Amino acid sequence: MMSLLHSITLGSAVVLATASTVPLVAPTAVRANPAAPVKIWDGFSSPVGMAFDAAGHLYVAEWGAGRVSRIAPDGTRSTFADDLSGPSGLAVGPDGAIYVASYSRDEIYRFTPDGVRSVHVTGLATPAGIGFDRTGRLLIANRRTNQILRLADNGHLTPVIDGLQTPVGAVQTPDGGYVVSNIGGDVTIVRPDGTRIEAGAAFSTPGPGVAMTRDGRVFVVDYGGTTVREILPTGQSRAVAEGLRSPVGLVLAPDGASLLTATWGDGTIYRIPIPR
């Protein structure tokens, strides 16, 4: 099977987050040394998108196995959904449903918490990272059209951001702007007024994993490298974890004080403490 990097770059992935009033913020101090990731689960087959539900279950889209796994708060693992084609982005919606992007079939599925599946969106172009904006509308990193799309209440898709470089993940920041991870080579900060800052100079290949804390700090995986990096408002970034084998998925843990990242290279999920 082709690697995710090859698939996304050449064609045939989030979690996006919500908050209320604060903008993308800088940390209060710069950490001199990145944290050592702590291994918590392994045995996944090319994990990509991850998200927690309100009860603390972690859902993991496994590209290589064509399934979504669910890990209960006590660590019990089970198959939530299978027979999927290229599951990439994954998000839990405001309605409690689980949404999964099929990168290979250009669709997004909606699953009820007990696993009943329906087709939610069709006609996409290699959708990667997905999530929800501050109003609860679905956002889609539509890789092949270089856009971030939003699904309106009437079911129509509208572009939120155009002219990107193969976007694969994004978050909407609390001030109404965005941070977009482009596997084509950059991380784009989009200000509320539409101005852009490119923040990917230190990345090898930004990946689908983008996560945001409740106070607006944004983190992006370097899929082509070994780090998870924090994106600073100036357009710079800093490593908060290193030594990972192609990190691809990223999600804020329920404790709000740590991140979980999934690695493509060894099928493992690690915990990373968020530096103050």
Side-chain angles (χ1 to χ4, degrees):
M1 177 182 174
M2 293 187 297
S3 71
L4 178 66
L5 174 61
H6 185 70
S7 299
I8 290 179
T9 302
L10 299 183
S12 338
V14 133
V15 181
L16 292 100
T18 62
S20 56
T21 58
V22 292
L24 177 69
V25 297
T28 56
V30 175
R31 187 184 180 95
N33 298 303
V38 177
K39 178 179 175 179
I40 52 177
W41 295 294
D42 60 11
F44 294 93
S45 180
S46 309
V48 188
M50 300 191 293
F52 283 95
D53 67 14
H57 297 92
L58 176 65
Y59 296 83
V60 183
E62 296 184 65
W63 173 294
R67 69 179 172 225
V68 174
S69 290
R70 178 167 61 188
I71 304 172
D74 65 2
T76 303
R77 190 186 308 183
S78 61
T79 297
F80 175 73
D82 56 13
D83 195 27
L84 300 172
S85 181
S88 51
L90 186 151
V92 175
D95 58 355
I98 298 87
Y99 296 81
V100 181
S102 172
Y103 185 89
S104 303
R105 294 184 61 86
D106 294 332
E107 296 176 333
I108 292 175
Y109 305 114
R110 180 186 185 273
F111 292 87
T112 63
D114 57 359
V116 177
R117 180 172 76 177
S118 59
V119 177
H120 193 61
V121 185
T122 61
L124 297 169
T126 53
I130 61 174
F132 292 83
D133 69 10
R134 296 178 301 128
T135 66
R137 293 175 179 171
L138 183 67
L139 293 172
I140 304 160
N142 208 39
R143 187 212 61 85
R144 202 164 66 240
T145 64
N146 294 313
Q147 295 172 311
I148 302 298
L149 303 177
R150 179 170 60 202
L151 183 66
D153 293 339
N154 62 7
H156 293 164
L157 290 166
T158 58
V160 176
I161 309 171
D162 287 298
L164 297 164
Q165 301 178 64
T166 55
V168 291
V171 291
Q172 185 180 31
T173 52
D175 61 0
Y178 298 86
V179 176
V180 181
S181 174
N182 298 278
I183 208 164
D186 220 328
V187 176
T188 304
I189 299 171
V190 182
R191 300 298 191 198
D193 64 2
T195 58
R196 303 185 184 191
I197 299 173
E198 300 304 332
F203 285 77
S204 175
T205 308
V210 185
M212 187 172 65
T213 62
R214 298 180 186 109
D215 61 353
R217 294 169 63 185
V218 177
F219 302 84
V220 179
V221 299
D222 191 355
Y223 171 73
T226 63
T227 63
V228 173
R229 306 188 67 86
E230 180 171 8
I231 304 302
L232 306 180
T234 59
Q236 298 175 311
S237 67
R238 62 168 184 162
V240 298
E242 60 185 8
L244 299 159
R245 292 184 60 190
S246 296
V248 61
L250 195 67
V251 64
L252 180 69
D255 63 10
S258 59
L259 302 164
L260 299 187
T261 187
T263 54
W264 184 273
D266 56 6
T268 299
I269 294 176
Y270 296 87
R271 184 181 299 276
I272 302 167
I274 297 175
R276 295 183 182 276

